[in-house]
Amino acid sequence: MAQFQEVSQQSALHPKPPRLVLQYGTAGFRTNANQLDHIMFRMGLLATLRSKKTKATIGVMVTASHNPEEDNGVKLIDPMGEMVTQAWEGYASQLANAEQEELLNALKDIIEREAINLTQEANVFVGKDTRSSSARLSQAVLDGVSALGGHSKDYGLVTTPQLHYVVCCQNTQGRYGEATVEGYYQKLSQAFVELTKNAPNRTDDQKHLSVDGANGIGAVKLREMERHLKSELQISLFNDGTSGKLNHQCGADYVKVQQKAPTGVEMNAGERCCSFDGDADRIVYYYSDSEGKFHLLDGDKIATLISTFLKELLTQADLDLNIAVVQTAYANGSSTHYLENTMKVIVKCTKTGVKHLHHAAQEFDIGVYFEANGHGTVLFSKTAEEKIQRLAEDPNSNDERKRAALLLQNTINLINQTVGDAISDMLLIEAMLAIRGMTVQQWDTIYSDLPNRQLKVKVSDRRVIDTTDAERRAVSPAGLQEAIDSLVKKYRQARSFVRPSGTEDVVRVYAEADTQESADALAHEVSLAVYHLAGGVGDEPKPLH
C-alpha cells in the first residue's frame, strides 16, 4: 500500500537508535530530548490511528513538564481531553520500541487488533512547550501524521491543559467552548470576572498575586491572558522565561519538594504567591509570615478550599447533589480528618496517579481531586450541570438559591474539567478567596498539617512489594505490614505506608505523626523493616538525626 511506503520512507528520516527501549508511563514518554526524534514520529503515526479508530480529533503534546530543560517528552490526548486509554499506552510502547525494520509489522499489528479502517479521515492537534528541542520534535509528530494521510493542526506554543481543552471543544462540536486559545482565555476570564462581582470593594492589595512561571510556557500564556482579566487580578510575574532556565530552582515541583520559595521571587510577609510547573498543569500556593517562616499550601489545601466553597453553595442552592474529594494515601491525615469530620464531605482514597483520581472523581455528582503536588481539577456530572442550570434559569426560585446557582454556573465555566490546569486553578482560588473575604493565612489555618516524612529504600526488585487498599497496606512480602502496624502503634496520630516506585527499583516510605521527630523516627524504622524484609541493597538506612 502506498501509505505504508510513505511511512517507510519518512521513518528512515526519523531512525530509532538500536536497542533503545522506552516505556509509555503516566506522563507519556520522557527522557533526554536527543533520544526522542523517532518516538515523536511514531506518536504521530499512533495518534492518526487513534483518530481513525475513535472517529474523533486526538491531541499530541510535546513537553516534559517539570523535568530539566534538556529533557523532553510526549503525551497523547483522547477525544474528551482525557489521557489515552491503557491499551493504547501499550501500543505506544510497542510502536516506540520496534526496531526500524519491524516498524511496519508493529503498525499493521495495531491496525489489525483494533480493526482500524485506514480510509477513515484522521485529525490530530499538536502543541508544544518552550523547550529549545520542542520545535523540531513537534515537527517529527506532524511528519508522522502526514505519513499516514492524517490532517493536523499545529497549535504551536500552548500549555498542556490548553491542548486538552481545545481537543475537548473540537470533539463536543463547541459545546465545551471554542477550540482556540483565544476562546479558552475568553471563557475562563469571563467566568472569573463574573465571580469577582460577588466580592465588591476589593483593594488593589487584595487583588495582587505574585506568580512564579517556572520560566516555562505558563508564564507566556498568563501574559497573553492578562488583558482579559480587566484588572480584577493584578499579577506580578516572576521567572517568566526571559532570562532564567526552565524549572531551575523554580516551579511548583521545586517549591513542593524543597519547601521553600523559588529563586527570583520577591516575597513580602503575608502576600499570596503561587508557582506553576513547566507545562502549567500543576500549581501550589505559599506565603511567608511576619517572622519570615515559609508556609506551603499544596494540593490537599487547595482541594479543601474548593470543596468547602462548593459544599456551602450547594447548601445555599438547596441542591441534592453529592460532592466528594478524591485523595491518594499521600494526602495529609489532617486534611482527610477535616473533610470527613468537620465538612462532612465524602473522601475517597485511590491509587497514586492522575488517571486513577480522575476516574474515581467521575463516580460522583461533583468530584474534586488534587494530588499533593498540586495537580488536580473538579468534575461535574451531566446531572449536576443540568440541575444547576435549571435552578439558575428558574423564575420561581428565591434570591439566595438563584445567587448560589449562578455562582456554581460561573465556577463550572472557570474550571478546566479535562485535566489539572494551573491557570484555571489559580483563577478559581483567587475568586473563592475574594468571595469569602479570606486571606491566605486564614485559608492556611483551616487545618494544620500533621508533620510527615517521605523516604526511599533501594531494593533489588521493587516487584516484591505488593499493596492493597489504595496502596495503604502491603500484602507482600510476608510480615512487612505486621511490622509497620506495630511500629505505628508506638507513636501518636501516626500512620505509615510503603509502595513500590513506578519507575525505579526503590520502595517509597511515607510516615506522619504528631511531631516531626516522631514522623522522622517512624519513617526510619519503617525503612529498616523494608530493607530487611524486602531485599534492601547497599547500606542499611541511617537515622535522620
Side-chain angles (χ1 to χ4, degrees), residues 1 32 89 117 141 188 216 222 232 242 258 277 314 332 351 463 489-490 492 504:
M1 275 176 72
N32 186 286
E89 284 184 5
N117 171 12
V141 175
L188 269 64
L222 188 55
E232 284 304 321
T242 47
Q258 301 295 328
D277 73 333
L314 288 177
N332 196 279
K351 280 163 72 172
R463 289 171 301 188
K489 282 190 187 124
K490 292 167 54 181
R492 293 178 53 157
E504 48 185 336

Side-chain angles (χ1 to χ4, degrees), residues 382-398:
K382 206 169 166 8
T383 313
E385 291 197 3
E386 284 166 359
K387 277 189 178 175
I388 289 164
Q389 188 176 349
R390 273 203 303 275
L391 177 58
E393 291 167 1
D394 179 6
N396 301 319
S397 67
N398 68 38

